[in-house]
Amino acid sequence: MVWSGTITFTKALCSTHLTRNPFFNFEIEDIRKDPMLHPAKVFTTSLNKIASETIPVLRHRNNRPRVPWFTEECRVAQRARKKAQRLAFRQPTPENVINFKRTRAQTRYIFKQARKLAWQKFVSSLSSRTTSKAVWAAIRKIKGRFQAESIGHLRTGL
């Protein structure tokens, strides 16, 4: 079954400014060769193809907390805690549950020590010349409250 407006739609589509795009021209030729193709489907797929080839795709950032106290030791402890948690939830034997609780306690201790060291380092860096803005910015960073970065695909000059 041929869509009734195929010829008209094809002529209108071929005369638009979109046909100047080399990605889109290929799809227009497909419509001209095979009038059985549904123009709306061809139009949609061609626009998706153009968008995927011309709009930059941002990579997902890692989920590491953006706090100054989160060190490599914290990352290793967090990974071990998650591994023990998965094992304890999948196979809740008494050994796995106890291992998870022990690992969770060790991770809490490591995080607490890392926060303490970061705070001590921050306090020792303060002087009479430190501005209140810098002090509060550092406190917000240590707490984990930070300004979100701008959305990458909305930046100009990409």
XYZ file of all heavy atoms in Angstrom, residues 39-100:
514
model
N 7.326 8.196 3.883
C 8.159 9.403 3.999
C 8.405 9.855 5.430
O 9.485 10.329 5.747
C 7.366 10.461 3.236
C 6.458 9.700 2.357
C 6.172 8.403 3.028
N 7.413 9.705 6.299
C 7.608 10.141 7.687
C 8.686 9.304 8.364
O 9.510 9.824 9.123
C 6.299 10.040 8.454
N 8.702 8.000 8.075
C 9.709 7.129 8.674
C 11.099 7.476 8.149
O 12.070 7.554 8.900
C 9.386 5.672 8.378
C 10.326 4.712 9.032
C 9.909 3.281 8.805
C 10.863 2.358 9.543
N 10.507 0.967 9.407
N 11.177 7.712 6.835
C 12.466 8.071 6.245
C 12.943 9.406 6.791
O 14.121 9.578 7.115
C 12.353 8.114 4.704
C 13.614 8.662 4.075
C 12.037 6.738 4.162
N 12.019 10.344 6.925
C 12.360 11.663 7.450
C 12.878 11.550 8.887
O 13.906 12.130 9.243
C 11.125 12.571 7.381
C 11.371 13.969 7.859
C 12.093 14.867 7.077
C 10.888 14.392 9.079
C 12.331 16.159 7.520
C 11.120 15.680 9.523
C 11.839 16.561 8.736
N 12.190 10.765 9.720
C 12.590 10.594 11.118
C 13.950 9.927 11.229
O 14.816 10.377 11.985
C 11.537 9.758 11.865
O 10.277 10.400 11.727
C 11.879 9.641 13.330
N 14.158 8.857 10.487
C 15.448 8.160 10.566
C 16.575 9.040 10.051
O 17.680 9.018 10.596
C 15.422 6.841 9.771
O 15.046 7.108 8.427
C 14.480 5.844 10.403
N 16.294 9.827 9.022
C 17.359 10.694 8.505
C 17.703 11.791 9.499
O 18.877 12.123 9.693
C 16.959 11.290 7.156
O 15.817 12.093 7.302
N 16.699 12.353 10.175
C 16.982 13.380 11.180
C 17.754 12.790 12.354
O 18.682 13.422 12.873
C 15.689 14.025 11.678
C 15.068 15.057 10.753
C 13.799 15.625 11.385
C 16.016 16.174 10.419
N 17.394 11.582 12.776
C 18.141 10.913 13.854
C 19.577 10.656 13.439
O 20.498 10.815 14.234
C 17.458 9.605 14.247
C 16.207 9.836 15.050
O 16.052 10.869 15.680
N 15.298 8.888 15.006
N 19.770 10.264 12.202
C 21.123 9.998 11.695
C 21.944 11.288 11.675
O 23.097 11.314 12.107
C 21.034 9.403 10.296
C 22.354 9.046 9.681
C 22.144 8.454 8.300
C 23.465 8.239 7.606
N 23.274 7.764 6.234
N 21.344 12.371 11.202
C 22.040 13.660 11.156
C 22.402 14.110 12.573
O 23.527 14.533 12.836
C 21.156 14.725 10.464
C 20.990 14.404 8.992
C 21.754 16.114 10.632
C 19.920 15.232 8.315
N 21.438 13.992 13.492
C 21.679 14.422 14.874
C 22.792 13.610 15.513
O 23.668 14.154 16.187
C 20.395 14.302 15.687
N 22.776 12.286 15.304
C 23.804 11.459 15.939
C 25.190 11.711 15.365
O 26.192 11.523 16.050
C 23.449 9.978 15.808
O 23.494 9.596 14.449
N 25.271 12.175 14.123
C 26.575 12.419 13.517
C 27.085 13.842 13.713
O 28.267 14.104 13.559
C 26.521 12.085 12.027
C 26.349 10.603 11.776
C 26.290 10.247 10.303
O 26.517 11.148 9.466
O 26.010 9.084 10.002
N 26.193 14.760 14.074
C 26.628 16.150 14.180
C 26.596 16.718 15.596
O 27.331 17.648 15.894
C 25.758 17.060 13.277
O 24.391 16.896 13.641
C 25.959 16.710 11.819
N 25.746 16.194 16.473
C 25.650 16.711 17.842
C 26.627 15.934 18.710
O 26.590 14.707 18.736
C 24.225 16.587 18.388
C 23.273 17.434 17.544
C 24.172 17.016 19.855
C 21.826 17.257 17.905
N 27.513 16.617 19.434
C 28.480 15.899 20.261
C 27.798 15.184 21.422
O 26.872 15.707 22.033
C 29.409 16.999 20.772
C 28.615 18.246 20.678
C 27.675 18.066 19.524
N 28.266 13.987 21.704
C 27.725 13.203 22.800
C 28.718 13.264 23.954
O 29.907 13.012 23.779
C 27.515 11.739 22.366
C 27.000 10.913 23.526
C 26.552 11.672 21.200
N 28.222 13.617 25.122
C 29.078 13.711 26.293
C 29.166 12.351 26.969
O 28.193 11.613 27.033
C 28.507 14.727 27.283
C 28.424 16.150 26.777
C 27.777 17.028 27.828
C 29.789 16.677 26.441
N 30.323 12.042 27.451
C 30.507 10.786 28.162
C 30.060 10.957 29.607
O 30.199 12.031 30.195
C 31.968 10.358 28.109
C 32.424 10.135 26.691
C 33.687 9.305 26.685
N 34.204 9.186 25.342
C 33.863 8.202 24.521
N 33.028 7.290 24.906
N 34.372 8.149 23.308
N 29.555 9.894 30.155
C 29.092 9.913 31.543
C 30.297 10.006 32.471
O 31.258 9.275 32.338
C 28.305 8.641 31.827
C 27.821 8.551 33.225
N 26.872 9.413 33.734
C 28.149 7.721 34.229
C 26.645 9.101 34.993
N 27.411 8.079 35.315
N 30.215 10.908 33.400
C 31.298 11.048 34.373
C 31.199 9.935 35.399
O 30.137 9.399 35.649
C 31.203 12.402 35.056
C 31.407 13.556 34.092
C 31.345 14.846 34.858
N 32.512 14.958 35.688
C 33.445 15.881 35.547
N 33.326 16.761 34.600
N 34.465 15.920 36.338
N 32.317 9.635 36.008
C 32.291 8.593 37.039
C 31.533 9.085 38.273
O 31.304 10.272 38.452
C 33.707 8.152 37.400
C 34.551 9.286 37.941
O 34.092 10.415 38.066
N 35.785 8.997 38.264
N 31.137 8.175 39.100
C 30.311 8.508 40.260
C 31.123 8.798 41.513
O 30.586 8.773 42.608
C 29.342 7.357 40.546
C 28.302 7.248 39.475
O 27.996 8.225 38.801
N 27.774 6.059 39.287
N 32.411 9.036 41.369
C 33.255 9.321 42.522
C 32.802 10.637 43.161
O 32.606 11.647 42.483
C 34.710 9.448 42.077
C 35.660 9.682 43.240
C 37.074 9.856 42.759
N 37.262 11.042 41.949
C 37.398 12.272 42.436
N 37.369 12.487 43.731
N 37.565 13.279 41.630
N 32.593 10.658 44.465
C 32.192 11.899 45.125
C 33.245 12.994 44.926
O 34.440 12.733 45.016
C 32.101 11.503 46.603
C 31.944 10.038 46.601
C 32.667 9.543 45.391
N 32.794 14.176 44.673
C 33.715 15.291 44.440
C 33.999 16.013 45.752
O 33.606 17.153 45.947
C 33.101 16.252 43.438
C 32.901 15.623 42.095
C 32.300 16.636 41.148
N 31.786 15.955 39.985
C 30.612 16.164 39.455
N 29.812 17.065 39.968
N 30.220 15.490 38.398
N 34.634 15.332 46.659
C 35.033 15.926 47.930
C 36.538 15.759 48.065
O 37.102 14.767 47.607
C 34.295 15.277 49.121
C 32.840 15.691 49.149
C 34.401 13.777 49.074
N 37.211 16.720 48.671
C 38.670 16.656 48.723
C 39.209 15.522 49.593
O 40.342 15.098 49.416
C 39.072 18.022 49.282
C 37.865 18.581 49.925
C 36.696 17.974 49.234
N 38.414 15.002 50.497
C 38.917 13.962 51.394
C 38.827 12.566 50.788
O 39.369 11.621 51.339
C 38.184 14.001 52.727
C 36.693 13.906 52.631
C 35.817 14.949 52.640
C 35.910 12.726 52.514
N 34.537 14.484 52.524
C 34.564 13.116 52.442
C 36.199 11.370 52.452
C 33.516 12.218 52.315
C 35.170 10.462 52.316
C 33.848 10.888 52.258
N 38.142 12.404 49.667
C 37.961 11.080 49.065
C 39.244 10.676 48.345
O 39.538 11.118 47.248
C 36.778 11.096 48.093
C 36.282 9.732 47.741
C 35.384 9.087 48.561
C 36.713 9.090 46.593
C 34.915 7.827 48.245
C 36.253 7.825 46.276
C 35.354 7.194 47.102
N 40.029 9.797 48.991
C 41.339 9.400 48.480
C 41.261 8.032 47.813
O 40.200 7.406 47.761
C 42.352 9.341 49.640
O 41.892 8.357 50.576
C 42.503 10.686 50.331
N 42.403 7.587 47.353
C 42.493 6.256 46.742
C 42.154 5.168 47.764
O 41.500 4.171 47.432
C 43.905 6.041 46.185
C 44.098 4.726 45.468
C 43.291 4.614 44.190
O 42.916 5.641 43.617
O 43.026 3.467 43.771
N 42.566 5.371 49.007
C 42.248 4.406 50.057
C 40.735 4.320 50.274
O 40.182 3.227 50.468
C 42.945 4.817 51.363
C 42.784 3.835 52.488
C 43.426 4.314 53.779
O 43.806 5.492 53.871
O 43.520 3.489 54.698
N 40.060 5.461 50.188
C 38.607 5.474 50.319
C 37.953 4.729 49.158
O 36.988 3.975 49.353
C 38.084 6.909 50.353
S 38.580 7.846 51.797
N 38.483 4.927 47.980
C 37.929 4.260 46.800
C 38.055 2.745 46.919
O 37.108 2.008 46.640
C 38.632 4.748 45.532
C 37.979 4.267 44.251
C 38.725 4.766 43.030
N 40.059 4.211 42.915
C 40.326 2.968 42.469
N 39.353 2.172 42.114
N 41.560 2.550 42.381
N 39.219 2.284 47.373
C 39.441 0.836 47.544
C 38.503 0.279 48.620
O 37.901 -0.789 48.434
C 40.925 0.561 47.890
C 41.133 -0.876 48.310
C 41.813 0.909 46.709
N 38.348 1.005 49.716
C 37.467 0.552 50.796
C 36.014 0.516 50.334
O 35.269 -0.423 50.654
C 37.612 1.468 52.009
N 35.614 1.517 49.567
C 34.245 1.565 49.060
C 33.979 0.399 48.110
O 32.922 -0.240 48.164
C 33.994 2.890 48.347
C 32.566 3.072 47.893
C 32.380 4.382 47.171
O 33.206 4.770 46.339
N 31.307 5.087 47.480
N 34.952 0.114 47.264
C 34.812 -1.006 46.338
C 34.689 -2.328 47.098
O 33.857 -3.176 46.763
C 36.002 -1.051 45.386
C 35.855 -2.112 44.324
C 36.995 -2.075 43.353
N 36.888 -0.865 42.549
C 37.869 -0.376 41.811
N 39.039 -0.971 41.795
N 37.692 0.704 41.091
N 35.508 -2.519 48.146
C 35.441 -3.743 48.956
C 34.097 -3.852 49.677
O 33.517 -4.944 49.769
C 36.581 -3.763 49.968
N 33.584 -2.723 50.165
C 32.290 -2.732 50.854
C 31.166 -3.133 49.894
O 30.310 -3.953 50.224
C 31.987 -1.360 51.449
C 30.671 -1.339 52.214
C 30.229 0.042 52.566
N 29.890 0.764 51.353
C 29.866 2.090 51.267
N 30.185 2.840 52.290
N 29.543 2.678 50.143
N 31.192 -2.575 48.682
C 30.153 -2.918 47.705
C 30.224 -4.386 47.296
O 29.200 -5.045 47.125
C 30.276 -2.022 46.472
C 29.802 -0.612 46.709
C 29.904 0.201 45.449
C 29.408 1.606 45.656
N 29.458 2.394 44.418
N 31.447 -4.889 47.157
C 31.624 -6.297 46.809
C 31.074 -7.196 47.915
O 30.354 -8.167 47.649
C 33.101 -6.586 46.577
C 33.396 -7.966 46.095
C 34.875 -8.131 45.815
C 35.202 -9.533 45.344
N 36.634 -9.703 45.098
N 31.377 -6.865 49.164
C 30.873 -7.652 50.293
C 29.357 -7.533 50.402
O 28.674 -8.509 50.730
C 31.539 -7.191 51.586
N 28.828 -6.364 50.094
C 27.379 -6.158 50.164
C 26.660 -6.994 49.107
O 25.658 -7.642 49.400
C 27.049 -4.680 49.970
C 25.574 -4.367 50.058
C 25.287 -2.895 49.844
O 26.129 -2.155 49.322
N 24.113 -2.459 50.239
N 27.179 -6.988 47.891
C 26.568 -7.804 46.835
C 26.576 -9.285 47.216
O 25.590 -9.989 47.029
C 27.301 -7.591 45.511
C 26.947 -6.295 44.820
C 27.474 -6.265 43.404
N 28.925 -6.402 43.339
C 29.787 -5.399 43.328
N 29.349 -4.158 43.383
N 31.084 -5.615 43.256
N 27.696 -9.745 47.744
C 27.807 -11.145 48.142
C 26.841 -11.473 49.287
O 26.169 -12.514 49.268
C 29.249 -11.468 48.556
C 29.539 -12.929 48.867
C 29.318 -13.801 47.648
C 30.971 -13.072 49.363
N 26.736 -10.579 50.261
C 25.844 -10.813 51.394
C 24.380 -10.810 50.970
O 23.569 -11.557 51.524
C 26.077 -9.771 52.473
N 24.021 -9.980 50.007
C 22.633 -9.935 49.564
C 22.296 -11.117 48.664
O 21.179 -11.616 48.683
C 22.337 -8.622 48.860
C 22.215 -7.454 49.799
C 22.360 -7.592 51.165
C 21.957 -6.189 49.309
C 22.248 -6.518 52.028
C 21.844 -5.098 50.158
C 21.981 -5.270 51.520
N 23.259 -11.548 47.843
C 23.018 -12.693 46.959
C 22.999 -14.003 47.730
O 22.171 -14.871 47.472
C 24.094 -12.767 45.876
C 23.746 -11.971 44.660
C 24.667 -12.322 43.514
N 25.200 -11.067 42.992
C 26.455 -10.835 42.721
N 27.363 -11.757 42.870
N 26.833 -9.667 42.251
N 23.960 -14.155 48.629
C 24.082 -15.385 49.418
C 24.165 -15.001 50.896
O 25.259 -14.859 51.451
C 25.334 -16.152 49.004
C 25.341 -16.534 47.542
C 26.694 -17.076 47.107
O 27.614 -17.180 47.896
N 26.797 -17.408 45.835
N 23.022 -14.833 51.539
C 23.026 -14.331 52.917
C 23.389 -15.387 53.964
O 22.624 -15.658 54.880
C 21.601 -13.807 53.097
C 20.783 -14.591 52.141
C 21.674 -14.923 50.981
N 24.562 -15.941 53.832
C 25.040 -16.863 54.860
C 25.573 -16.039 56.031
O 25.932 -14.866 55.861
C 26.158 -17.769 54.307
O 27.257 -16.944 53.926
C 25.674 -18.575 53.113
N 25.647 -16.616 57.207
C 26.148 -15.849 58.363
C 27.569 -15.300 58.133
O 27.861 -14.177 58.549
C 26.131 -16.871 59.496
C 25.102 -17.859 59.111
C 25.134 -17.930 57.612
N 28.422 -16.070 57.466
C 29.796 -15.596 57.207
C 29.796 -14.372 56.296
O 30.520 -13.399 56.545
C 30.642 -16.697 56.556
C 30.845 -17.927 57.405
C 29.685 -18.919 57.284
O 28.965 -18.892 56.259
O 29.501 -19.699 58.217
N 28.958 -14.415 55.241
C 28.908 -13.285 54.309
C 28.334 -12.034 54.970
O 28.805 -10.921 54.724
C 28.088 -13.650 53.075
C 28.787 -14.664 52.196
O 29.999 -14.857 52.289
N 28.025 -15.322 51.343
N 27.320 -12.203 55.791
C 26.708 -11.059 56.476
C 27.691 -10.446 57.465
O 27.845 -9.218 57.532
C 25.392 -11.477 57.169
C 24.843 -10.344 58.014
C 24.374 -11.912 56.133
N 28.386 -11.289 58.217
C 29.378 -10.784 59.174
C 30.523 -10.086 58.439
O 30.971 -9.011 58.856
C 29.903 -11.935 60.065
C 28.797 -12.381 61.015
C 31.136 -11.510 60.850
C 29.114 -13.644 61.774
N 30.964 -10.677 57.332
C 32.025 -10.061 56.527
C 31.576 -8.696 55.999
O 32.342 -7.730 56.013
C 32.428 -10.973 55.377
C 33.571 -10.413 54.577
O 34.445 -9.746 55.117
N 33.556 -10.668 53.284
N 30.313 -8.607 55.549
C 29.793 -7.324 55.065
C 29.773 -6.286 56.179
O 30.197 -5.142 55.982
C 28.394 -7.508 54.476
C 27.652 -6.226 54.282
C 28.126 -5.237 53.435
C 26.480 -5.983 54.974
C 27.445 -4.039 53.273
C 25.793 -4.794 54.814
C 26.280 -3.825 53.960
